[in-house]
Amino acid sequence: MGAASCSSSSSVQHLLLLCLLGFCFAFAASQQEQQQSDSCSSAGVAVAHLVPFNSSAFRCLTVWKQEDFVLRYKNTGESQWSFILSAPDKGSYVAVGFSGKGLMVGSSAVVAWSSGGKGTVKQYYLTGKSPDECYPDKGRLTLVKNKAVAVSRSGRLYLAFQLSTDLPQPHLIYAVGPEGNLPPSDATLPMHRSMHSHAFNYTSGMASSSGGSGGGGFPPERKHGLLAMMAWGVLMPLGMMAARYFRRVDPYWFYAHMAIQAVAFTVGIASVVLGFRLNEDGLKNVDVHRALGIAILAMASLQVMAFLARPDKTSKVRRFWNWYHHYIGRAAILVAIGNIFLGLHIAQEVSAYIVSYGVFVAVWVIAVAAFEMNRCYSDDD
């Protein structure tokens, strides 16, 4: 009886000890989590004494909940804006980019990391999405000298800097590098682990979904691409097929051919006009893409003029006109298809657009081959 009572008392003591250890562990974990967090409800930035400018009365908002990015900013003087970005320090870099279009390519970014207690801040010019296309100590941002610092404290990395500008660009792009992988001595940025972007109203402090983030939205570049793809890359090849393979349904093939190509030419002009209004800063092969686009427009215009100057079927020059009309049209289609793929590559579009258009081209080529074989066998008969 006494032994049983002693055993029961020992078990209770063990249980109380485990509960006490669990409580201490939970308390320590919560304290550590609290130390690693940042909140706009706090009185101010935790490293205010280490920031090289007055950081009081800054606007504050959580700009990227998934990565716990907190941004503070303020218009601290005439043509001067101050920013403090904080994020968990996981042995990686953090970055904030400024873009006029919401796209990473062509933007400039301020990047920070900390190693061995020493913080590093650099500006990068992002001409592409691969590491060798992100150039350190380049960019279009005017950083105020000696006003940029990176500080690691209590498990968080703080990036503070000032810009000399009347108003920062309206799209902010955030990125975080791979954990435990800092830039080497040459400052080449490892590929980011994740990124996020939004449009930002500096007056109201409101953020909204950016058209350039992810694969959604229709920024001007995508509108230009979709219009050009539909005009030169879809309608024009279909119009060619109507004229070449459906002559037996006379005269409807002619009306279909004329209507399809007229719509293609109209939409194509709209895509060219929109293309000339785009900002191609930092994009490669734009000159080639533009030159090919002008060539396609010129060939399409020649086709329109050829239609207006079409000789009578009984004319002796009708045969030469046919050759000219056929081969200029085919050349325009081939150049257009190639230029569309080039444009998709330049814009680094999401794979869905590339695959979808690739499937259309493949189906179109197979259909043309089948119709040509049918014509060949019909001629033999």
Side-chain angles (χ1 to χ4, degrees), residues 80-350:
Q80 184 181 87
W81 290 78
S82 302
F83 295 87
I84 302 175
L85 177 69
S86 82
D89 189 355
K90 299 180 179 180
S92 58
Y93 66 82
V94 297
V96 54
F98 295 81
S99 170
K101 305 175 293 183
L103 300 175
M104 171 185 167
V105 177
S107 65
S108 300
V110 183
V111 184
W113 63 90
S114 179
S115 177
K118 180 183 178 181
T120 301
V121 179
K122 283 185 177 293
Q123 181 180 180
Y124 285 77
Y125 189 39
L126 313 179
T127 65
K129 294 185 178 180
S130 61
D132 60 346
E133 294 176 310
C134 300
Y135 298 100
D137 301 318
K138 304 287 185 181
R140 298 179 178 273
L141 301 175
T142 304
L143 292 172
V144 178
K145 191 175 181 180
N146 299 324
K147 296 295 183 180
V149 66
V151 179
S152 179
R153 285 291 185 277
S154 302
R156 288 190 74 84
L157 182 62
Y158 295 85
L159 164 61
F161 60 95
Q162 287 185 325
L163 296 180
S164 180
T165 180
D166 292 335
L167 185 69
Q169 290 181 301
H171 295 269
L172 297 181
I173 304 171
Y174 310 96
V176 59
E179 295 184 16
N181 188 3
L182 295 175
S185 57
D186 63 357
T188 300
L189 284 181
M191 181 65 72
H192 57 261
R193 173 171 56 83
S194 184
M195 67 173 293
H196 172 71
S197 68
H198 58 213
F200 193 71
N201 186 318
Y202 294 93
T203 302
S204 66
M206 298 295 292
S208 60
S209 178
S210 172
S213 68
F218 283 88
E221 293 81 1
R222 186 166 290 170
K223 292 178 182 177
H224 160 72
L226 290 176
L227 288 175
M229 183 189 297
M230 182 58 61
W232 311 128
V234 175
L235 291 176
M236 195 159 62
L238 293 179
M240 179 276 290
M241 293 182 69
R244 183 164 178 80
Y245 305 123
F246 295 93
R247 287 180 177 266
R248 293 180 180 178
V249 286
D250 191 44
Y252 300 108
W253 70 266
F254 176 75
Y255 298 140
H257 173 67
M258 185 172 61
I260 293 172
Q261 301 301 55
V263 173
F265 186 69
T266 303
V267 176
I269 289 178
S271 73
V272 171
V273 171
L274 185 57
F276 273 109
R277 297 174 61 184
L278 296 178
N279 176 14
E280 67 270 6
D281 289 342
L283 300 180
K284 295 183 177 180
N285 300 318
V286 172
D287 291 338
V288 176
H289 181 65
R290 184 191 297 112
L292 291 176
I294 293 173
I296 295 165
L297 179 62
M299 287 186 282
S301 300
L302 287 174
Q303 294 291 73
V304 172
M305 290 188 288
F307 170 75
L308 298 176
R310 183 174 52 134
D312 189 80
K313 290 183 179 180
T314 59
S315 173
K316 294 181 180 181
V317 299
R318 179 60 182 249
R319 180 177 60 174
F320 302 104
W321 181 91
N322 286 337
W323 289 349
Y324 155 81
H325 186 59
H326 295 169
Y327 288 110
I328 292 293
R330 292 168 185 170
I333 290 172
L334 293 177
V335 174
I337 291 174
N339 202 34
I340 288 169
F341 281 114
L342 176 60
L344 291 170
H345 173 72
I346 290 173
Q348 298 186 336
E349 262 297 359
V350 292

